[in-house]
Amino acid sequence: MIAPMQQQKLSRIHDFKLPTAILGACYLEGEKELVAACMDGVYRVQIEEKTYQRVGAHDSYVSSVVNLPGHGAFVSAGYDGNLKWFSVTDNSLVREVRVHEFWSWDMAASKDQRWLASVTGQYLPGDYRYAPAQEKEPSVQILDASDGRIVHSLPHVPSVQAVAFSSDSKRIAAGNLMGEVRVWDVVTGQQVGGFQTKDLTSWGIIKSHCYLGGVFGIEFTPSESELLICGMGDMRDPMAGNGKQLWQRWDWKEGKKISQVPDKQSGEGLMEALTMHPSGSSFMMGGRLRGGDWNAALFDLQSGERLGTVKSGYRITQMVFNAREELLIVGGQGQPDKMKEDRFPDFGRIELYKIEPQAG
């Protein structure tokens, strides 16, 4: 259990590489294995042995994976717009469902394993001021996890880049490029709340021809009535990605911002990953480093104060806590352009961190 406001040390205790960058990951039951969504396919990884097997693929990058132990399957989503169910027993393909015409940016599973959700959307300018055009297909799809049947097709403003279920599996939240978050009742499909922040999206002072940034990570807090979102603050130069590392905490029912990262405790870079600590008293945020001394940090939920940091040296795409309260971090370190011995050097990254009180 982490005491509020107590400074923490994050120590790396395990690390290894996969052939290509990892865009998402999930533990399998027992937490001795994980499944990784990589640029070139779906990998099943034995953590302690540092071994892996490529067990499946999509027609493009694999963007997300979730585990459904109650169904004996894990599910992957890809930039081909498909979701695929694989058997945990023998890795065979059980089911494939076409969910989007465009990419699946993100996918999530409800805690009760009843539902899956996938989000999509392509940013296209809709007027001379480059406001987004209306969606060409439903941006949020909710599926029955047991058979892949689409039960709700929900509207949003594209592109929608992040999705999460509440821990009681009753609500779903999704955030888009424009900093708009919508919350729905999972059973009825009715919108029950939401808000919009201009702090996570930008034209930049040096103008570009589209909006940049948006909500890249989203998580319900233990209270269920609040959401954490992350991304990048206003940018001077959009091409440099030099906006502030930014999280915000919102009351989604009232549409009111509660708090955000303290000004002096963040650098520059796009933040893409959020995860709550098992204690419910703190959370991790991570992503890419543009300027500063960390690209993943632990924050106290109530005060917002930073408790500990990691400088990984690579882009962080997802973070997950295990039952031992160790932190799994995955991502990718660039994209090598020089082959060695007829292959590219491995650039997918998997690390485990232990979190403990800072001495002194």
Side-chain angles (χ1 to χ4, degrees), residues 105-107 119-121 156-164 173-184 194-202 211-220 227-233 235 244 246-250 270-274 285-286 288 317:
W105 285 107
D106 192 22
M107 176 183 60
V119 293
T120 189
H156 209 328
V157 180
S159 60
V160 182
Q161 300 161 152
V163 64
N176 72 358
L177 176 77
M178 305 302 296
E180 182 183 355
V181 172
R182 297 182 183 182
V183 182
W184 296 269
F195 56 87
Q196 185 165 15
T197 174
K198 296 182 179 180
D199 299 328
L200 272 73
T201 190
S202 174
Y211 288 93
L212 296 166
V215 178
F216 274 75
I218 189 166
E219 284 288 315
F220 283 87
L227 280 166
L228 289 167
I229 58 174
C230 73
M232 181 166 58
M235 294 160 271
K244 177 182 178 181
L246 184 60
W247 60 259
Q248 292 183 335
R249 180 179 161 209
W250 284 76
L270 176 61
M271 298 289 99
E272 302 180 64
L274 283 170
M285 176 177 75
R288 314 180 205 192
T317 55

Short mmCIF file of all heavy atoms in Angstrom, two decimals, residues 105-107 119-121 156-164 173-184 194-202 211-220 227-233 235 244 246-250 270-274 285-286 288 317:
data_model
loop_
_atom_site.label_atom_id
_atom_site.label_comp_id
_atom_site.label_asym_id
_atom_site.label_seq_id
_atom_site.Cartn_x
_atom_site.Cartn_y
_atom_site.Cartn_z
N TRP A 105 -8.28 2.46 -32.99
CA TRP A 105 -7.24 3.20 -32.26
C TRP A 105 -6.98 2.58 -30.88
O TRP A 105 -5.85 2.56 -30.41
CB TRP A 105 -7.68 4.65 -32.06
CG TRP A 105 -7.61 5.53 -33.26
CD1 TRP A 105 -8.65 5.99 -34.01
CD2 TRP A 105 -6.43 6.07 -33.87
NE1 TRP A 105 -8.20 6.79 -35.03
CE2 TRP A 105 -6.83 6.86 -34.96
CE3 TRP A 105 -5.07 5.98 -33.59
CZ2 TRP A 105 -5.95 7.55 -35.79
CZ3 TRP A 105 -4.17 6.66 -34.40
CH2 TRP A 105 -4.61 7.43 -35.48
N ASP A 106 -8.04 2.12 -30.23
CA ASP A 106 -7.91 1.60 -28.87
C ASP A 106 -9.06 0.64 -28.61
O ASP A 106 -10.13 0.76 -29.20
CB ASP A 106 -7.94 2.77 -27.87
CG ASP A 106 -7.52 2.37 -26.46
OD1 ASP A 106 -6.82 1.35 -26.33
OD2 ASP A 106 -7.89 3.09 -25.51
N MET A 107 -8.82 -0.31 -27.70
CA MET A 107 -9.84 -1.29 -27.33
C MET A 107 -9.74 -1.53 -25.84
O MET A 107 -8.67 -1.45 -25.24
CB MET A 107 -9.61 -2.61 -28.09
CG MET A 107 -10.59 -3.71 -27.69
SD MET A 107 -10.26 -5.29 -28.53
CE MET A 107 -8.59 -5.64 -28.00
N VAL A 119 -12.65 1.88 -30.52
CA VAL A 119 -12.91 3.23 -31.01
C VAL A 119 -12.11 3.50 -32.28
O VAL A 119 -11.02 2.95 -32.49
CB VAL A 119 -12.58 4.29 -29.94
CG1 VAL A 119 -13.55 4.18 -28.79
CG2 VAL A 119 -11.15 4.17 -29.44
N THR A 120 -12.66 4.37 -33.12
CA THR A 120 -12.05 4.63 -34.42
C THR A 120 -12.25 6.09 -34.81
O THR A 120 -12.70 6.92 -34.00
CB THR A 120 -12.69 3.71 -35.49
OG1 THR A 120 -11.95 3.80 -36.71
CG2 THR A 120 -14.14 4.10 -35.76
N GLY A 121 -11.98 6.39 -36.06
CA GLY A 121 -12.23 7.73 -36.59
C GLY A 121 -11.03 8.31 -37.29
O GLY A 121 -9.90 8.19 -36.82
N HIS A 156 -19.60 9.95 -31.88
CA HIS A 156 -18.62 10.84 -31.26
C HIS A 156 -18.05 11.69 -32.40
O HIS A 156 -18.42 11.53 -33.56
CB HIS A 156 -17.53 10.04 -30.55
CG HIS A 156 -16.91 10.74 -29.37
ND1 HIS A 156 -16.77 12.11 -29.31
CD2 HIS A 156 -16.38 10.26 -28.22
CE1 HIS A 156 -16.20 12.43 -28.15
NE2 HIS A 156 -15.96 11.33 -27.47
N VAL A 157 -17.15 12.60 -32.08
CA VAL A 157 -16.48 13.40 -33.10
C VAL A 157 -15.11 12.77 -33.38
O VAL A 157 -14.30 12.64 -32.48
CB VAL A 157 -16.30 14.85 -32.63
CG1 VAL A 157 -15.59 15.67 -33.72
CG2 VAL A 157 -17.64 15.48 -32.29
N PRO A 158 -14.85 12.34 -34.62
CA PRO A 158 -13.59 11.67 -34.91
C PRO A 158 -12.40 12.65 -34.90
O PRO A 158 -12.60 13.84 -35.11
CB PRO A 158 -13.81 11.11 -36.32
CG PRO A 158 -14.85 11.99 -36.92
CD PRO A 158 -15.73 12.46 -35.79
N SER A 159 -11.18 12.13 -34.61
CA SER A 159 -10.93 10.73 -34.31
C SER A 159 -10.99 10.47 -32.81
O SER A 159 -10.57 11.31 -32.02
CB SER A 159 -9.58 10.32 -34.86
OG SER A 159 -8.53 11.09 -34.28
N VAL A 160 -11.51 9.29 -32.43
CA VAL A 160 -11.62 8.90 -31.02
C VAL A 160 -10.47 7.95 -30.72
O VAL A 160 -10.35 6.90 -31.33
CB VAL A 160 -12.98 8.25 -30.74
CG1 VAL A 160 -13.11 7.89 -29.27
CG2 VAL A 160 -14.11 9.20 -31.15
N GLN A 161 -9.64 8.33 -29.76
CA GLN A 161 -8.34 7.69 -29.59
C GLN A 161 -8.17 6.91 -28.29
O GLN A 161 -7.18 6.21 -28.12
CB GLN A 161 -7.24 8.77 -29.68
CG GLN A 161 -7.26 9.49 -31.01
CD GLN A 161 -6.55 10.84 -30.99
OE1 GLN A 161 -6.04 11.28 -32.01
NE2 GLN A 161 -6.54 11.50 -29.85
N ALA A 162 -9.13 7.01 -27.37
CA ALA A 162 -8.98 6.35 -26.07
C ALA A 162 -10.34 5.92 -25.55
O ALA A 162 -11.33 6.65 -25.70
CB ALA A 162 -8.29 7.27 -25.07
N VAL A 163 -10.38 4.74 -24.91
CA VAL A 163 -11.64 4.22 -24.38
C VAL A 163 -11.37 3.44 -23.10
O VAL A 163 -10.30 2.84 -22.94
CB VAL A 163 -12.34 3.31 -25.42
CG1 VAL A 163 -11.52 2.07 -25.74
CG2 VAL A 163 -13.75 2.92 -24.98
N ALA A 164 -12.32 3.49 -22.15
CA ALA A 164 -12.17 2.76 -20.89
C ALA A 164 -13.54 2.44 -20.31
O ALA A 164 -14.50 3.20 -20.49
CB ALA A 164 -11.36 3.58 -19.88
N ALA A 173 -16.31 5.27 -21.25
CA ALA A 173 -15.90 6.64 -21.59
C ALA A 173 -14.94 6.60 -22.77
O ALA A 173 -14.11 5.69 -22.87
CB ALA A 173 -15.24 7.31 -20.40
N ALA A 174 -15.06 7.59 -23.66
CA ALA A 174 -14.17 7.68 -24.81
C ALA A 174 -13.81 9.13 -25.06
O ALA A 174 -14.65 10.02 -24.94
CB ALA A 174 -14.83 7.08 -26.05
N GLY A 175 -12.52 9.37 -25.41
CA GLY A 175 -12.05 10.73 -25.65
C GLY A 175 -11.47 10.88 -27.04
O GLY A 175 -10.92 9.93 -27.60
N ASN A 176 -11.57 12.10 -27.59
CA ASN A 176 -11.19 12.30 -28.99
C ASN A 176 -10.09 13.35 -29.16
O ASN A 176 -9.56 13.92 -28.20
CB ASN A 176 -12.41 12.65 -29.83
CG ASN A 176 -12.95 14.05 -29.56
OD1 ASN A 176 -12.46 14.79 -28.71
ND2 ASN A 176 -13.99 14.43 -30.29
N LEU A 177 -9.78 13.60 -30.43
CA LEU A 177 -8.75 14.55 -30.83
C LEU A 177 -9.04 15.96 -30.34
O LEU A 177 -8.13 16.74 -30.07
CB LEU A 177 -8.65 14.55 -32.36
CG LEU A 177 -7.70 15.54 -33.03
CD1 LEU A 177 -6.27 15.06 -32.91
CD2 LEU A 177 -8.07 15.70 -34.50
N MET A 178 -10.32 16.30 -30.21
CA MET A 178 -10.73 17.65 -29.84
C MET A 178 -10.80 17.86 -28.33
O MET A 178 -11.25 18.90 -27.87
CB MET A 178 -12.09 17.96 -30.46
CG MET A 178 -12.16 17.77 -31.96
SD MET A 178 -10.94 18.80 -32.81
CE MET A 178 -11.52 20.42 -32.38
N GLY A 179 -10.37 16.87 -27.55
CA GLY A 179 -10.42 17.00 -26.11
C GLY A 179 -11.81 16.79 -25.55
O GLY A 179 -12.09 17.18 -24.40
N GLU A 180 -12.71 16.16 -26.33
CA GLU A 180 -14.06 15.92 -25.86
C GLU A 180 -14.20 14.48 -25.37
O GLU A 180 -13.80 13.53 -26.05
CB GLU A 180 -15.09 16.16 -26.97
CG GLU A 180 -16.52 15.95 -26.49
CD GLU A 180 -17.56 16.11 -27.59
OE1 GLU A 180 -17.18 16.48 -28.72
OE2 GLU A 180 -18.75 15.87 -27.31
N VAL A 181 -14.77 14.33 -24.19
CA VAL A 181 -15.01 13.02 -23.58
C VAL A 181 -16.51 12.82 -23.45
O VAL A 181 -17.23 13.71 -22.99
CB VAL A 181 -14.34 12.91 -22.20
CG1 VAL A 181 -14.76 11.63 -21.48
CG2 VAL A 181 -12.82 12.97 -22.34
N ARG A 182 -16.99 11.64 -23.86
CA ARG A 182 -18.39 11.28 -23.69
C ARG A 182 -18.46 9.99 -22.86
O ARG A 182 -17.62 9.11 -23.00
CB ARG A 182 -19.08 11.08 -25.03
CG ARG A 182 -19.12 12.35 -25.88
CD ARG A 182 -19.85 12.17 -27.20
NE ARG A 182 -19.79 13.39 -28.02
CZ ARG A 182 -20.37 13.55 -29.20
NH1 ARG A 182 -21.08 12.54 -29.72
NH2 ARG A 182 -20.25 14.68 -29.86
N VAL A 183 -19.50 9.92 -22.02
CA VAL A 183 -19.70 8.76 -21.13
C VAL A 183 -21.10 8.20 -21.39
O VAL A 183 -22.08 8.96 -21.46
CB VAL A 183 -19.55 9.15 -19.65
CG1 VAL A 183 -19.72 7.92 -18.76
CG2 VAL A 183 -18.20 9.82 -19.40
N TRP A 184 -21.17 6.87 -21.55
CA TRP A 184 -22.44 6.21 -21.84
C TRP A 184 -22.73 5.11 -20.81
O TRP A 184 -21.81 4.54 -20.21
CB TRP A 184 -22.40 5.54 -23.22
CG TRP A 184 -22.23 6.44 -24.40
CD1 TRP A 184 -23.22 7.03 -25.14
CD2 TRP A 184 -21.01 6.84 -25.01
NE1 TRP A 184 -22.69 7.77 -26.16
CE2 TRP A 184 -21.33 7.66 -26.12
CE3 TRP A 184 -19.65 6.57 -24.74
CZ2 TRP A 184 -20.35 8.23 -26.94
CZ3 TRP A 184 -18.68 7.14 -25.54
CH2 TRP A 184 -19.03 7.96 -26.64
N GLY A 194 -20.33 13.83 -19.74
CA GLY A 194 -19.19 14.16 -20.59
C GLY A 194 -18.69 15.56 -20.34
O GLY A 194 -19.25 16.31 -19.53
N PHE A 195 -17.65 15.93 -21.05
CA PHE A 195 -17.06 17.26 -20.90
C PHE A 195 -16.09 17.48 -22.06
O PHE A 195 -15.79 16.55 -22.82
CB PHE A 195 -16.30 17.37 -19.57
CG PHE A 195 -15.23 16.33 -19.36
CD1 PHE A 195 -13.93 16.52 -19.84
CD2 PHE A 195 -15.52 15.14 -18.71
CE1 PHE A 195 -12.95 15.56 -19.65
CE2 PHE A 195 -14.54 14.17 -18.52
CZ PHE A 195 -13.26 14.38 -18.99
N GLN A 196 -15.61 18.71 -22.19
CA GLN A 196 -14.60 19.02 -23.20
C GLN A 196 -13.55 19.94 -22.59
O GLN A 196 -13.89 20.90 -21.89
CB GLN A 196 -15.21 19.67 -24.44
CG GLN A 196 -14.19 19.88 -25.56
CD GLN A 196 -14.83 20.19 -26.89
OE1 GLN A 196 -16.00 20.53 -26.97
NE2 GLN A 196 -14.07 20.07 -27.98
N THR A 197 -12.30 19.63 -22.85
CA THR A 197 -11.19 20.47 -22.43
C THR A 197 -10.42 20.93 -23.65
O THR A 197 -10.17 20.15 -24.56
CB THR A 197 -10.25 19.74 -21.45
OG1 THR A 197 -9.10 20.57 -21.18
CG2 THR A 197 -9.77 18.41 -22.02
N LYS A 198 -10.06 22.20 -23.68
CA LYS A 198 -9.25 22.73 -24.77
C LYS A 198 -7.75 22.61 -24.46
O LYS A 198 -6.92 22.96 -25.29
CB LYS A 198 -9.61 24.19 -25.03
CG LYS A 198 -11.04 24.40 -25.51
CD LYS A 198 -11.33 25.87 -25.79
CE LYS A 198 -12.75 26.05 -26.29
NZ LYS A 198 -13.06 27.48 -26.56
N ASP A 199 -7.43 22.11 -23.27
CA ASP A 199 -6.03 22.07 -22.83
C ASP A 199 -5.22 20.97 -23.48
O ASP A 199 -4.00 20.99 -23.46
CB ASP A 199 -5.98 21.90 -21.31
CG ASP A 199 -6.65 23.04 -20.57
OD1 ASP A 199 -6.61 24.17 -21.08
OD2 ASP A 199 -7.22 22.79 -19.49
N LEU A 200 -5.89 19.94 -24.04
CA LEU A 200 -5.18 18.79 -24.60
C LEU A 200 -5.18 18.77 -26.12
O LEU A 200 -4.78 17.79 -26.72
CB LEU A 200 -5.78 17.48 -24.08
CG LEU A 200 -5.19 16.95 -22.78
CD1 LEU A 200 -5.66 17.79 -21.60
CD2 LEU A 200 -5.58 15.50 -22.56
N THR A 201 -5.64 19.86 -26.74
CA THR A 201 -5.63 19.90 -28.20
C THR A 201 -5.19 21.29 -28.65
O THR A 201 -5.41 22.27 -27.94
CB THR A 201 -7.01 19.54 -28.78
OG1 THR A 201 -6.90 19.37 -30.19
CG2 THR A 201 -8.03 20.62 -28.48
N SER A 202 -4.55 21.38 -29.80
CA SER A 202 -3.89 22.63 -30.14
C SER A 202 -3.74 22.82 -31.64
O SER A 202 -3.54 21.86 -32.38
CB SER A 202 -2.50 22.65 -29.48
OG SER A 202 -1.76 23.77 -29.89
N TYR A 211 -5.88 20.04 -36.24
CA TYR A 211 -5.71 20.01 -34.80
C TYR A 211 -4.76 18.88 -34.43
O TYR A 211 -4.69 17.86 -35.11
CB TYR A 211 -7.05 19.81 -34.10
CG TYR A 211 -7.96 21.01 -34.17
CD1 TYR A 211 -8.89 21.14 -35.19
CD2 TYR A 211 -7.88 22.01 -33.21
CE1 TYR A 211 -9.72 22.24 -35.26
CE2 TYR A 211 -8.71 23.12 -33.27
CZ TYR A 211 -9.62 23.22 -34.30
OH TYR A 211 -10.45 24.31 -34.37
N LEU A 212 -4.04 19.07 -33.35
CA LEU A 212 -3.09 18.07 -32.89
C LEU A 212 -3.32 17.80 -31.41
O LEU A 212 -3.83 18.65 -30.68
CB LEU A 212 -1.64 18.53 -33.11
CG LEU A 212 -1.24 18.74 -34.58
CD1 LEU A 212 0.05 19.51 -34.66
CD2 LEU A 212 -1.10 17.39 -35.27
N GLY A 213 -2.88 16.63 -30.96
CA GLY A 213 -3.03 16.29 -29.56
C GLY A 213 -4.31 15.50 -29.32
O GLY A 213 -4.65 14.61 -30.07
N GLY A 214 -5.03 15.86 -28.26
CA GLY A 214 -6.25 15.17 -27.91
C GLY A 214 -6.10 14.29 -26.70
O GLY A 214 -5.06 14.28 -26.02
N VAL A 215 -7.14 13.51 -26.41
CA VAL A 215 -7.15 12.58 -25.28
C VAL A 215 -6.56 11.26 -25.75
O VAL A 215 -7.16 10.56 -26.57
CB VAL A 215 -8.57 12.38 -24.74
CG1 VAL A 215 -8.57 11.37 -23.59
CG2 VAL A 215 -9.17 13.71 -24.29
N PHE A 216 -5.40 10.89 -25.22
CA PHE A 216 -4.73 9.65 -25.63
C PHE A 216 -4.84 8.55 -24.59
O PHE A 216 -4.63 7.38 -24.91
CB PHE A 216 -3.25 9.93 -25.92
CG PHE A 216 -3.00 10.39 -27.33
CD1 PHE A 216 -3.32 11.68 -27.71
CD2 PHE A 216 -2.46 9.54 -28.28
CE1 PHE A 216 -3.11 12.12 -29.01
CE2 PHE A 216 -2.24 9.96 -29.58
CZ PHE A 216 -2.57 11.26 -29.94
N GLY A 217 -5.14 8.90 -23.35
CA GLY A 217 -5.34 7.91 -22.30
C GLY A 217 -6.50 8.32 -21.43
O GLY A 217 -6.73 9.52 -21.20
N ILE A 218 -7.27 7.35 -20.95
CA ILE A 218 -8.44 7.64 -20.13
C ILE A 218 -8.67 6.51 -19.14
O ILE A 218 -8.52 5.34 -19.48
CB ILE A 218 -9.68 7.87 -21.03
CG1 ILE A 218 -10.86 8.41 -20.25
CG2 ILE A 218 -10.06 6.62 -21.81
CD1 ILE A 218 -11.98 8.96 -21.14
N GLU A 219 -9.00 6.86 -17.90
CA GLU A 219 -9.25 5.87 -16.85
C GLU A 219 -10.28 6.43 -15.86
O GLU A 219 -10.22 7.60 -15.48
CB GLU A 219 -7.97 5.55 -16.07
CG GLU A 219 -6.99 4.64 -16.79
CD GLU A 219 -7.49 3.20 -16.87
OE1 GLU A 219 -7.99 2.67 -15.86
OE2 GLU A 219 -7.39 2.62 -17.96
N PHE A 220 -11.20 5.58 -15.43
CA PHE A 220 -12.07 5.93 -14.31
C PHE A 220 -11.29 5.83 -13.01
O PHE A 220 -10.46 4.92 -12.84
CB PHE A 220 -13.27 4.98 -14.25
CG PHE A 220 -14.35 5.25 -15.26
CD1 PHE A 220 -14.29 4.70 -16.53
CD2 PHE A 220 -15.43 6.06 -14.93
CE1 PHE A 220 -15.29 4.93 -17.46
CE2 PHE A 220 -16.44 6.30 -15.86
CZ PHE A 220 -16.37 5.74 -17.14
N LEU A 227 -13.01 10.93 -13.92
CA LEU A 227 -12.15 10.38 -14.97
C LEU A 227 -10.80 11.07 -14.96
O LEU A 227 -10.70 12.27 -14.72
CB LEU A 227 -12.78 10.60 -16.35
CG LEU A 227 -13.88 9.62 -16.77
CD1 LEU A 227 -14.62 10.18 -17.98
CD2 LEU A 227 -13.30 8.25 -17.09
N LEU A 228 -9.76 10.29 -15.22
CA LEU A 228 -8.44 10.82 -15.51
C LEU A 228 -8.24 10.77 -17.02
O LEU A 228 -8.58 9.76 -17.66
CB LEU A 228 -7.35 9.99 -14.83
CG LEU A 228 -7.24 10.09 -13.32
CD1 LEU A 228 -6.34 8.98 -12.79
CD2 LEU A 228 -6.70 11.45 -12.90
N ILE A 229 -7.71 11.83 -17.59
CA ILE A 229 -7.37 11.83 -19.01
C ILE A 229 -5.95 12.35 -19.16
O ILE A 229 -5.44 13.07 -18.30
CB ILE A 229 -8.33 12.71 -19.84
CG1 ILE A 229 -8.34 14.15 -19.34
CG2 ILE A 229 -9.73 12.12 -19.83
CD1 ILE A 229 -9.14 15.10 -20.20
N CYS A 230 -5.29 11.97 -20.26
CA CYS A 230 -3.94 12.47 -20.47
C CYS A 230 -3.69 12.72 -21.95
O CYS A 230 -4.40 12.19 -22.82
CB CYS A 230 -2.88 11.52 -19.89
SG CYS A 230 -2.64 9.99 -20.83
N GLY A 231 -2.67 13.50 -22.21
CA GLY A 231 -2.27 13.84 -23.57
C GLY A 231 -1.11 14.81 -23.53
O GLY A 231 -0.14 14.60 -22.82
N MET A 232 -1.24 15.91 -24.25
CA MET A 232 -0.18 16.91 -24.31
C MET A 232 -0.80 18.29 -24.35
O MET A 232 -1.78 18.52 -25.05
CB MET A 232 0.71 16.66 -25.54
CG MET A 232 1.87 17.64 -25.69
SD MET A 232 3.11 17.09 -26.90
CE MET A 232 2.09 16.91 -28.38
N GLY A 233 -0.22 19.21 -23.60
CA GLY A 233 -0.74 20.56 -23.55
C GLY A 233 -0.42 21.36 -24.80
O GLY A 233 0.16 20.87 -25.76
N MET A 235 0.92 23.52 -27.72
CA MET A 235 2.25 23.44 -28.34
C MET A 235 2.62 24.74 -29.02
O MET A 235 1.79 25.37 -29.67
CB MET A 235 2.27 22.32 -29.39
CG MET A 235 2.11 20.94 -28.82
SD MET A 235 1.58 19.77 -30.10
CE MET A 235 -0.21 19.95 -29.96
N LYS A 244 3.15 20.45 -23.05
CA LYS A 244 3.33 20.00 -21.67
C LYS A 244 2.83 18.57 -21.47
O LYS A 244 1.77 18.20 -21.99
CB LYS A 244 2.58 20.95 -20.75
CG LYS A 244 2.61 20.60 -19.27
CD LYS A 244 1.78 21.61 -18.48
CE LYS A 244 1.75 21.28 -17.00
NZ LYS A 244 0.93 22.26 -16.24
N LEU A 246 0.74 16.20 -19.72
CA LEU A 246 -0.47 16.69 -19.05
C LEU A 246 -1.46 15.58 -18.71
O LEU A 246 -1.80 14.76 -19.55
CB LEU A 246 -1.17 17.72 -19.96
CG LEU A 246 -2.41 18.43 -19.41
CD1 LEU A 246 -2.09 19.22 -18.14
CD2 LEU A 246 -2.98 19.37 -20.46
N TRP A 247 -1.90 15.57 -17.44
CA TRP A 247 -3.09 14.82 -17.06
C TRP A 247 -4.09 15.79 -16.43
O TRP A 247 -3.71 16.82 -15.89
CB TRP A 247 -2.79 13.67 -16.10
CG TRP A 247 -2.17 14.05 -14.78
CD1 TRP A 247 -0.85 13.96 -14.42
CD2 TRP A 247 -2.86 14.56 -13.60
NE1 TRP A 247 -0.67 14.40 -13.13
CE2 TRP A 247 -1.88 14.77 -12.60
CE3 TRP A 247 -4.18 14.86 -13.31
CZ2 TRP A 247 -2.19 15.27 -11.33
CZ3 TRP A 247 -4.50 15.37 -12.05
CH2 TRP A 247 -3.51 15.56 -11.08
N GLN A 248 -5.36 15.43 -16.51
CA GLN A 248 -6.41 16.16 -15.83
C GLN A 248 -7.39 15.18 -15.18
O GLN A 248 -7.57 14.08 -15.67
CB GLN A 248 -7.18 17.07 -16.81
CG GLN A 248 -6.35 18.22 -17.35
CD GLN A 248 -7.15 19.14 -18.25
OE1 GLN A 248 -8.15 18.76 -18.85
NE2 GLN A 248 -6.69 20.39 -18.37
N ARG A 249 -8.00 15.63 -14.09
CA ARG A 249 -9.00 14.84 -13.37
C ARG A 249 -10.32 15.59 -13.42
O ARG A 249 -10.38 16.77 -13.07
CB ARG A 249 -8.53 14.65 -11.92
CG ARG A 249 -9.45 13.85 -11.02
CD ARG A 249 -8.82 13.73 -9.65
NE ARG A 249 -9.77 13.39 -8.62
CZ ARG A 249 -9.66 13.74 -7.33
NH1 ARG A 249 -8.63 14.46 -6.94
NH2 ARG A 249 -10.58 13.37 -6.46
N TRP A 250 -11.37 14.90 -13.90
CA TRP A 250 -12.66 15.53 -14.14
C TRP A 250 -13.80 14.80 -13.43
O TRP A 250 -13.78 13.57 -13.33
CB TRP A 250 -12.97 15.55 -15.64
CG TRP A 250 -12.22 16.57 -16.41
CD1 TRP A 250 -10.92 16.53 -16.80
CD2 TRP A 250 -12.74 17.80 -16.92
NE1 TRP A 250 -10.58 17.66 -17.51
CE2 TRP A 250 -11.69 18.45 -17.62
CE3 TRP A 250 -14.00 18.40 -16.89
CZ2 TRP A 250 -11.86 19.68 -18.25
CZ3 TRP A 250 -14.17 19.63 -17.52
CH2 TRP A 250 -13.11 20.26 -18.18
N LEU A 270 4.18 13.92 -25.41
CA LEU A 270 2.84 13.36 -25.52
C LEU A 270 2.67 12.20 -24.55
O LEU A 270 3.40 11.20 -24.62
CB LEU A 270 2.59 12.87 -26.95
CG LEU A 270 1.26 12.16 -27.20
CD1 LEU A 270 0.09 13.08 -26.91
CD2 LEU A 270 1.20 11.65 -28.64
N MET A 271 1.70 12.30 -23.66
CA MET A 271 1.40 11.25 -22.71
C MET A 271 0.29 10.36 -23.26
O MET A 271 -0.77 10.84 -23.67
CB MET A 271 0.98 11.85 -21.36
CG MET A 271 2.07 12.68 -20.71
SD MET A 271 3.46 11.69 -20.07
CE MET A 271 4.68 11.86 -21.39
N GLU A 272 0.53 9.04 -23.30
CA GLU A 272 -0.38 8.11 -23.97
C GLU A 272 -0.96 7.04 -23.07
O GLU A 272 -1.88 6.34 -23.49
CB GLU A 272 0.39 7.39 -25.10
CG GLU A 272 1.00 8.31 -26.12
CD GLU A 272 1.73 7.55 -27.20
OE1 GLU A 272 1.08 6.79 -27.93
OE2 GLU A 272 2.96 7.70 -27.30
N ALA A 273 -0.44 6.88 -21.85
CA ALA A 273 -0.84 5.74 -21.02
C ALA A 273 -1.19 6.19 -19.61
O ALA A 273 -0.48 7.01 -19.01
CB ALA A 273 0.30 4.71 -20.97
N LEU A 274 -2.28 5.63 -19.09
CA LEU A 274 -2.71 5.86 -17.70
C LEU A 274 -3.05 4.51 -17.07
O LEU A 274 -3.62 3.64 -17.74
CB LEU A 274 -3.95 6.74 -17.65
CG LEU A 274 -3.81 8.24 -17.87
CD1 LEU A 274 -5.20 8.86 -18.01
CD2 LEU A 274 -3.06 8.90 -16.72
N MET A 285 1.22 7.84 -15.15
CA MET A 285 1.04 8.39 -16.49
C MET A 285 2.37 8.26 -17.23
O MET A 285 3.44 8.47 -16.65
CB MET A 285 0.64 9.87 -16.43
CG MET A 285 0.56 10.51 -17.82
SD MET A 285 -0.02 12.25 -17.79
CE MET A 285 1.47 13.08 -17.17
N GLY A 286 2.32 7.88 -18.52
CA GLY A 286 3.55 7.73 -19.29
C GLY A 286 3.34 8.00 -20.76
O GLY A 286 2.21 8.05 -21.25
N ARG A 288 5.82 9.78 -24.29
CA ARG A 288 7.05 10.15 -24.97
C ARG A 288 7.69 11.36 -24.30
O ARG A 288 6.99 12.25 -23.83
CB ARG A 288 6.79 10.48 -26.44
CG ARG A 288 5.90 9.50 -27.16
CD ARG A 288 5.69 9.90 -28.60
NE ARG A 288 4.44 9.36 -29.11
CZ ARG A 288 4.09 9.33 -30.37
NH1 ARG A 288 4.91 9.81 -31.29
NH2 ARG A 288 2.93 8.84 -30.76
N THR A 317 3.84 3.05 -24.35
CA THR A 317 2.49 2.98 -24.92
C THR A 317 1.45 2.41 -23.96
O THR A 317 0.27 2.67 -24.12
CB THR A 317 2.50 2.12 -26.20
OG1 THR A 317 3.06 0.84 -25.89
CG2 THR A 317 3.33 2.79 -27.29
#
